[in-house]
Amino acid sequence: GAVVSQHPSWVICKSGTSVKIECRSLDFQATTMFWYRQFPKQSLMLMATSNEGSKATYEQGVEKDKFLINHASLTLSTLTVTSAHPEDSSFYICSARTGLYTDTQYFGPGTRLTVL
Amino acid sequence: AQSVTQPDIHITVSEGASLELRCNYSYGATPYLFWYVQSPGQGLQLLLKYFSGDTLVQGIKGFEAEFKRSQSSFNLRKPSVHWSDAAEYFCAVGGSGTYKYIFGTGTRLKVLA
C-alpha cells in the first residue's frame, strides 16, 4: 500500500519550454502532496506543499510563477516548470500523506529534468 | 533553529558487518523521526519511523533505530549488512500537525564484498 508514482521518470527539454510532471497516489487519497528538489549528491529541499482544491504553499525562495503546482484531485498533483532554463535541471520528487491525521510521507520515484 | 545532522557523509562496511548511521536533530517541539533509503536515481523508501512509545523502533529490511531524547539522536542500526543495502540514507524530522520534514544531508553507504 501507499504507492506514489511520477511521470515522466526523466525528461529532456530545450531552454524556454515548459515541462509538466505528474504525481499520483495509486492506492490512497492524498489530501496533501509535497514537491521536493534534489541536487546531485545533496539532500531534499522542500519546494511547496499542495493541498487538494487549494493553492499551493511555497517555501521561501521558490518562485511560484516558475514552478506551478496544481492539485486538482485527491490522487493527482502536477508540477509545471515554466520557461525552463539549464539551472532548473534537477531531480524532482513528490510525496504524499496518506490521510489527514498521519505525519508519514510516501515518496514517488522522482523525475530527472534536464534542460538543454 | 530546526535542523538534522548526519555527521557521516560516507560510510564503508564489509558485507556481514554491523552498521550504525548517526542522526542528530534540533527541534523545538516533540519530534517525529524518520529514516528513508534512496537507491541511485530512485525516490525514497521509508525504513522506519518514531512518533512515541518504545524508543527502539523496528523497520523493514532488518533495520532498527533508537530514539534517545537526552542526546537528541535517532541512530539507525543493522546487525549484518547485505550488499543490497548500499544506498543513500536520509534521516528526517517532523512535528505533529506541521507535515513538513527537515532532511539531513544523507549518508552514502558502500558495502564491500
Side-chain angles (χ1 to χ4, degrees):
Chain A
V3 178
V4 177
S5 71
Q6 281 184 243
H7 178 80
S9 55
W10 59 271
V11 57
I12 301 173
C13 69
K14 293 182 179 179
S15 185
T17 61
S18 294
V19 173
K20 180 184 285 187
I21 302 170
E22 293 186 348
C23 176
R24 294 182 183 272
S25 55
L26 298 185
D27 51 2
F28 65 97
Q29 293 184 330
T31 53
T32 306
M33 288 183 169
F34 304 85
W35 287 95
Y36 294 83
R37 184 172 181 177
Q38 186 180 29
F39 291 101
K41 298 184 180 181
Q42 295 188 28
S43 189
L44 282 75
M45 299 300 295
L46 179 65
M47 299 174 65
T49 302
S50 167
N51 290 295
E52 186 267 338
S54 62
K55 291 183 179 180
T57 302
Y58 291 82
E59 295 299 301
Q60 192 171 10
V62 177
E63 299 177 62
K64 59 181 66 177
D65 293 332
K66 166 168 272 300
F67 299 101
L68 301 179
I69 292 172
N70 183 275
H71 193 161
S73 78
L74 286 172
T75 59
L76 173 64
S77 177
T78 61
L79 168 67
T80 302
V81 183
T82 63
S83 187
H85 292 284
E87 58 265 29
D88 299 323
S89 299
S90 191
F91 195 54
Y92 293 89
I93 304 177
C94 73
S95 71
R97 285 198 299 135
T98 56
L100 283 175
Y101 303 107
T102 177
D103 292 280
T104 302
Q105 294 181 29
Y106 292 89
F107 286 78
T111 296
R112 171 78 56 195
L113 170 63
T114 300
V115 185
L116 302 177
Chain B
Q2 300 173 346
S3 65
V4 175
T5 302
Q6 293 180 246
D8 304 305
I9 299 175
H10 297 279
I11 283 187
T12 300
V13 299
S14 299
E15 190 171 20
S18 63
L19 171 71
E20 182 170 30
L21 302 182
R22 296 183 290 166
C23 172
N24 293 95
Y25 67 90
S26 173
Y27 199 73
T30 300
Y32 290 176
L33 295 155
F34 307 85
W35 274 101
Y36 286 87
V37 60
Q38 183 181 35
S39 297
Q42 302 295 315
L44 277 68
Q45 181 182 22
L46 178 66
L47 286 175
L48 47 78
K49 59 187 177 183
Y50 173 79
F51 287 174
S52 64
D54 192 346
T55 57
L56 185 62
V57 181
Q58 301 298 318
I60 63 171
K61 302 185 178 185
F63 286 94
E64 66 177 26
E66 186 171 13
F67 172 59
K68 293 185 177 180
R69 184 184 300 276
S70 62
Q71 298 178 21
S72 297
S73 69
F74 188 57
N75 294 348
L76 182 71
R77 299 193 295 251
K78 186 169 185 177
S80 178
V81 171
H82 189 263
W83 64 266
S84 60
D85 293 324
E88 186 94 22
Y89 291 80
F90 290 97
C91 179
V93 65
S96 175
T98 68
Y99 312 125
K100 290 184 180 181
Y101 288 4
I102 300 169
F103 280 90
T105 50
T107 297
R108 184 169 297 275
L109 174 65
K110 182 177 180 180
V111 180
L112 301 176

